[in-house]
C-alpha cells in the first residue's frame, strides 16, 4: 500500500541540457527514488555516468534494470516513480543490481481506501496544437476513424461462413470502402448467466462501433446467444446500416451474406470524411510485453496524449485492472467525486476477489518477459503501466463490455491479457488504440492499433510491428512536450485515415473474456 503522505502522481523527467542526439545511460525517474534505471547495459565494475560517476556497478546490469543509488537495508522500501515498489530482502549496497533476488512485493490482502477529494491537476489544451481530424460522423452523432464493414457472428459455429463472406466480399467491394472484416470468436453457445451476458454485451458494443459504417450480423439459429437478443442489446445503431440472418433459416448463407454486404456497401460508398474536433475522439490505452523502459518512455508518452485528449474534451479509456494493483490509489486520488471513488474501489476489490475465488495469487502479475526486461514487482509494473492514464480526472468507471460515455478518463474493467482487454477497449467505443510495448507483438484489433515501442532497438528490429518509437525520448536534450505534440499530430493523421502497421499487415482479431460455466 502506498503511503498517504506521497503525492498521487509520478513524474518522469526526460530532458537534459546536454548535446542533442547523445543517448542517456541512466535515469532517476523521480527525485525521491533510491534506485536508478540502466538505459543501456552496464558492465561490472564500470563507473556510472555523470552525475553518478562516484558510483560503480557492482555486477553487470542489463538495460531496463535497476541499480542502487543509495545503500538500502534489508526490509527498507525500494523507491521508484516516487513510490515504494517493494522491500529489500537483503542488504543492498550502492551500485548493486536490484531485482528478484533482493526485492519483493509489499502487497498483501485487502487495502482500506479513504476518499480525500479530487487531487487531479487542471488540464488545458495547449496553443498551437491541431484540434481537428477528418472522421466519419454517423447518424447518432458518434465519429469513426474508419468506414469499414464488419461481420459479427453470434456463435462460433458460423465462424468459417463469416470469414468466407468477408474474403469474397473484399474481392468484389474492397476498393469501395476502407475495409471488410469478419471478427470471429468461439463463444455464444452453451454459455450461461453472466458469462453469456458478457459475450452478448461485448459483441453489441462492436456492432455499435462508429468505425463500422455497416454491420452484417450472422447467427446460426439454435445458440444461447440468440440473434434477436443480440440485436436488442445494440440500440445505438442506424438500423439502415445493419443486416442480419440465421444460417439455419436461409438456403445458402454465403450467398445471403454477400447480398447483405452488397446492400450495405451501396450505402457506405458515399460516406465522406469531414472535419471533427478532438472532442469526438475516443482513445483506448493498452500496454503489452512491457520492459523496464515502458514506464519511462512509451507509457508516459501515451499519458501525455491522454491529457491532450482529455483537455480537448475527448474520451480516454484505460483498462487492465490487475495492472492497477499497487498503484490504484493514484487513480482514487483523481476521482471526480466520491461516487467515482467508490466505483474505483469496487472495481479493484472485485477483481482481487476474482483472483481469490479462482485460488490464484493476487500480486504475482509480472510475466517472465516483464522480469527479463527489468520489472520486478507488481507495484513497479503497475506504477509504470498507469502512466498511460496521464494526470486527468477519472470521470467514469465502467464494467466489461460497457461503453464510455464521459469525456476525460474512464477506467474499464478487464484483465491484463492483450487480446481480451484491447477488444474490450474497442467495444467501449475506442476508435484508436495506443498500444505500448517493450518486447513487441504483431497483434492488432478492429480499431487502428498504434504500436509504440519503449526502446529504439525494438523499433529497428521489428518495423513491420512498430508504428512509433518512444525510445527517442531517451536522447539527451530531447524535449518531452515537443515529442508528445509531434506524436499527437501523427495520431490525428491516423484518425484521418493514415494506416497503422496492423492494418497494413491485416492483423485484426477479437478475444472475449470467458469467465463462467460452459454446458
Amino acid at each position: 500500500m502506498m503511503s498517504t503522505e506521497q503525492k498521487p502522481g509520478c513524474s518522469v523527467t526526460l530532458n537534459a541540457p546536454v548535446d542533442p542526439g547523445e543517448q542517456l545511460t541512466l535515469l532517476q525517474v523521480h527525485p525521491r527514488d533510491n534506485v536508478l534505471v540502466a538505459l543501456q547495459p552496464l558492465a561490472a565494475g564500470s563507473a556510472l555516468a555523470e552525475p553518478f560517476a562516484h558510483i560503480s556497478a557492482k555486477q553487470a546490469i542489463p538495460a531496463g534494470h535497476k541499480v542502487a543509488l543509495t545503500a538500502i537495508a534489508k526490509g527498507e522500501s525500494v523507491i521508484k516513480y516516487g513510490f515504494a515498489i517493494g522491500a529489500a530482502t537483503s542488504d543492498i549496497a550502492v551500485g548493486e543490481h536490484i531485482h528478484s533476488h533482493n526485492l519483493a512485493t509489499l502487497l498483501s490482502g485487502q487495502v482500506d481506501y479513504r476518499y480525500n477529494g479530487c487531487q487531479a491537476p487542471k488540464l488545458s489544451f495547449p496553443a498551437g496544437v491541431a484540434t481537428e481530424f477528418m472522421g466519419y460522423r454517423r447518424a447518432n452523432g458518434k465519429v469513426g476513424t474508419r468506414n469499414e464493414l464488419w461481420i459479427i457472428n453470434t456463435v462460433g459455429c458460423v465462424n468459417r461462413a463469416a470469414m468466407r463472406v468477408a474474403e469474397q466480399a473484399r474481392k468484389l467491394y474492397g476498393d469501395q470502402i476502407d475495409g471488410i472484416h469478419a471478427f470471429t470468436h468461439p463463444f455464444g453457445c452453451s454459455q450461461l448467466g453472466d458469462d453469456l451476458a458478457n459475450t452478448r454485451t461485448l459483441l453489441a458494443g462492436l456492432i455499435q462501433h462508429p468505425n463500422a459504417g455497416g454491420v452484417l450480423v450472422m447467427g446460426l439459429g439454435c445458440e444461447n446467444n440468440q440473434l434477436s437478443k443480440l440485436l436488442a442489446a445494440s440500440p445505438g445503431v442506424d438500423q439502415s446500416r445493419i443486416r442480419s440472418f440465421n444460417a439455419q433459416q436461409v438456403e445458402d448463407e454465403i450467398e445471403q451474406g454477400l447480398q447483405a454486404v452488397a446492400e450495405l456497401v451501396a450505402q457506405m460508398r458515399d460516406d465522406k470524411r469531414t472535419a471533427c474536433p478532438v472532442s469526438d475522439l475516443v482513445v483506448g490505452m493498452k500496454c503489452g510485453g512491457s520492459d523496464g523502459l515502458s514506464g519511462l518512455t512509451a507509457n508516459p508518452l501515451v499519458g501525455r496524449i491522454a491529457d491532450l485528449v482529455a483537455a480537448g474534451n475527448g474520451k480516454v479509456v484505460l483498462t487492465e485492472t490487475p495492472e492497477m494493483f499497487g498503484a490504484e490509489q493514484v487513480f482514487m486520488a483523481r476521482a471526480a467525486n466520491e461516487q467515482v471513488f467508490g466505483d474505483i474501489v469496487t472495481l479493484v476489490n472485485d477483481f482481487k476477489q476474482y483472483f481469490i475465488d479462482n485460488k490464484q495469487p493476487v500480486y504475482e502479475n509480472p510475466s517472465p518477459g516483464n522480469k527479463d526486461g527489468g520489472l520486478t514487482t507488481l507495484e513497479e509494473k503497475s506504477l509504470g503501466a498507469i502512466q498511460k492514464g496521464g494526470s486527468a480526472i477519472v470521470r467514469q468507471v465502467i464494467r466489461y463490455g460497457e461503453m464510455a460515455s464521459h469525456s476525460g478518463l474512464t477506467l474499464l474493467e478487464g484483465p491484463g491479457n492483450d487480446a481480451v482487454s484491447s477488444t474490450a477497449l474497442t467495444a467501449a467505443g475506442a476508435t484508436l488504440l495506443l498500444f505500448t510495448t517493450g518486447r513487441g507483438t504483431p497483434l492488432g484489433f478492429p480499431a487502428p492499433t498504434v504500436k509504440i515501442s519503449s526502446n529504439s532497438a525494438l523499433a529497428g528490429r521489428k518495423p513491420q510491428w512498430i508504428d512509433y518509437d518512444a525510445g527517442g525520448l531517451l536522447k539527451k536534450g530531447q524535449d518531452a512536450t515537443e515529442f508528445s505534440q509531434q506524436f499527437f499530430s501523427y495520431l490525428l493523421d491516423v484518425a484521418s485515415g493514415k494506416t497503422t502497421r496492423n492494418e497494413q499487415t491485416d492483423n485484426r482479431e477479437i478475444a472475449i473474456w470467458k469467465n463462467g460455466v460452459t454446458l
Side-chain angles (χ1 to χ4, degrees):
M1 179 177 175
M2 292 180 290
S3 166
T4 56
E5 295 179 358
Q6 293 172 321
K7 295 181 180 180
C10 332
S11 63
V12 179
T13 302
L14 293 169
N15 299 339
V18 201
D19 294 340
E22 292 183 12
Q23 199 78 5
L24 294 170
T25 58
L26 290 160
L27 182 66
Q28 184 182 21
V29 182
H30 192 280
R32 282 197 294 264
D33 293 357
N34 55 11
V35 300
L36 303 170
V37 180
L39 304 180
Q40 298 179 19
L42 302 176
S46 63
L48 306 188
E50 292 289 355
F52 311 108
H54 60 287
I55 300 173
S56 297
K58 299 294 184 184
Q59 303 90 17
I61 299 172
H65 285 240
K66 297 173 288 296
V67 56
L69 175 60
T70 64
I72 303 171
K74 179 179 180 179
E76 187 179 344
S77 292
V78 174
I79 309 296
K80 183 181 175 185
Y81 300 107
F83 295 105
I85 61 167
T89 56
S90 61
D91 290 341
I92 300 174
V94 174
E96 190 172 343
H97 182 207
I98 299 178
H99 200 36
S100 303
H101 61 286
N102 56 10
L103 172 63
T105 181
L106 287 168
L107 300 172
S108 63
Q110 299 288 337
V111 178
D112 181 23
Y113 303 109
R114 297 181 181 178
Y115 180 63
N116 294 310
C118 181
Q119 301 168 45
K122 184 177 180 180
L123 300 176
S124 59
F125 200 85
V129 177
T131 60
E132 291 185 335
F133 67 101
M134 300 298 290
Y136 293 99
R137 189 168 296 281
R138 304 303 181 189
N140 61 7
K142 293 183 178 180
V143 173
T145 61
R146 298 292 183 269
N147 189 37
E148 298 175 339
L149 192 153
W150 290 2
I151 303 174
I152 307 292
N153 52 304
T154 63
V155 65
C157 306
V158 292
N159 279 353
R160 287 303 306 168
M163 293 170 70
R164 289 189 186 101
V165 171
E167 289 164 5
Q168 294 185 35
R170 278 194 290 271
K171 294 176 183 177
L172 294 169
Y173 312 110
D175 60 346
Q176 298 183 31
I177 56 177
D178 290 343
I180 301 173
H181 309 289
F183 297 112
T184 59
H185 61 89
F187 303 123
C189 187
S190 304
Q191 289 182 283
L192 300 172
D194 290 344
D195 199 41
L196 174 60
N198 281 343
T199 295
R200 181 176 293 143
T201 304
L202 190 285
L203 294 175
L206 295 178
I207 291 170
Q208 298 173 83
H209 199 281
N211 281 12
V215 180
L216 169 59
V217 187
M218 294 181 62
L220 179 61
C222 57
E223 61 270 29
N224 292 57
N225 186 27
Q226 285 286 292
L227 176 61
S228 59
K229 292 185 178 179
L230 176 57
L231 294 173
S234 312
V237 294
D238 179 353
Q239 293 300 321
S240 71
R241 299 298 184 102
I242 298 287
R243 297 292 185 276
S244 63
F245 65 87
N246 282 320
Q248 291 173 342
Q249 297 164 1
V250 300
E251 184 173 338
D252 186 325
E253 63 274 15
I254 307 302
E255 182 180 327
Q256 185 77 20
L258 288 172
Q259 179 182 329
V261 168
E263 294 172 3
L264 290 168
V265 170
Q267 295 184 74
M268 295 171 58
R269 64 165 62 102
D270 294 326
D271 292 347
K272 304 295 183 186
R273 291 184 181 272
T274 59
C276 301
V278 168
S279 57
D280 286 322
L281 275 180
V282 186
V283 184
M285 308 305 201
K286 175 74 182 78
C287 58
S290 298
D291 68 357
L293 301 182
S294 293
L296 311 179
T297 59
N299 290 350
L301 172 62
V302 167
R304 294 185 191 102
I305 299 304
D307 287 349
L308 279 172
V309 174
N313 292 316
K315 299 181 180 69
V316 178
V317 189
L318 182 69
T319 187
E320 300 178 286
T321 310
E323 298 188 12
M324 300 175 192
F325 294 171
E328 63 267 36
Q329 291 187 61
V330 174
F331 288 130
M332 291 175 185
R334 288 169 22 208
N337 51 51
E338 194 162 3
Q339 175 63 53
V340 174
F341 170 83
D343 290 343
I344 301 173
V345 171
T346 301
L347 173 73
V348 171
N349 284 340
D350 283 359
F351 219 102
K352 288 180 180 178
Q353 192 60 48
Y354 168 66
F355 276 67
I356 294 166
D357 290 346
N358 286 279
K359 299 180 173 57
Q360 297 299 315
V362 175
Y363 299 117
E364 292 295 324
N365 183 279
S367 69
N370 295 154
K371 291 180 179 178
D372 286 346
L375 300 178
T376 309
T377 65
L378 182 53
E379 297 101 305
E380 181 180 13
K381 182 176 181 179
S382 294
L383 284 164
I386 67 165
Q387 301 267 337
K388 300 190 303 295
S391 58
I393 294 173
V394 181
R395 300 284 185 184
Q396 184 183 26
V397 177
I398 57 177
R399 291 297 185 164
Y400 175 78
E402 294 180 349
M403 294 185 187
S405 58
H406 287 56
S407 60
L409 181 60
T410 292
L411 302 184
L412 164 65
E413 177 188 38
N417 178 272
D418 291 347
V420 172
S421 56
S422 296
T423 303
L425 286 168
T426 307
T431 52
L432 284 181
L433 297 182
L434 308 192
F435 191 112
T436 67
T437 182
R439 315 281 295 182
T441 176
L443 274 173
F445 305 96
T449 308
V450 179
K451 299 284 182 51
I452 305 115
S453 64
S454 66
N455 61 85
S456 297
L458 172 61
R461 190 172 68 254
K462 288 292 186 180
Q464 73 274 27
W465 290 357
I466 300 301
D467 295 280
Y468 215 87
D469 175 22
L473 281 165
L474 298 179
K475 288 184 178 179
K476 292 179 178 179
Q478 177 63 64
D479 182 82
T481 299
E482 180 182 350
F483 194 97
S484 63
Q485 290 181 2
Q486 291 171 352
F487 181 48
F488 186 67
S489 178
Y490 163 79
L491 293 177
L492 294 182
D493 288 343
V494 173
S496 301
K498 183 181 179 68
T499 57
T500 58
R501 293 288 190 255
N502 83 289
E503 294 177 297
Q504 295 162 15
T505 57
D506 199 25
N507 280 321
R508 297 177 177 87
E509 57 190 274
I510 66 170
I512 300 174
W513 193 11
K514 177 72 175 71
N515 61 352
V517 174
T518 298
L519 287 173

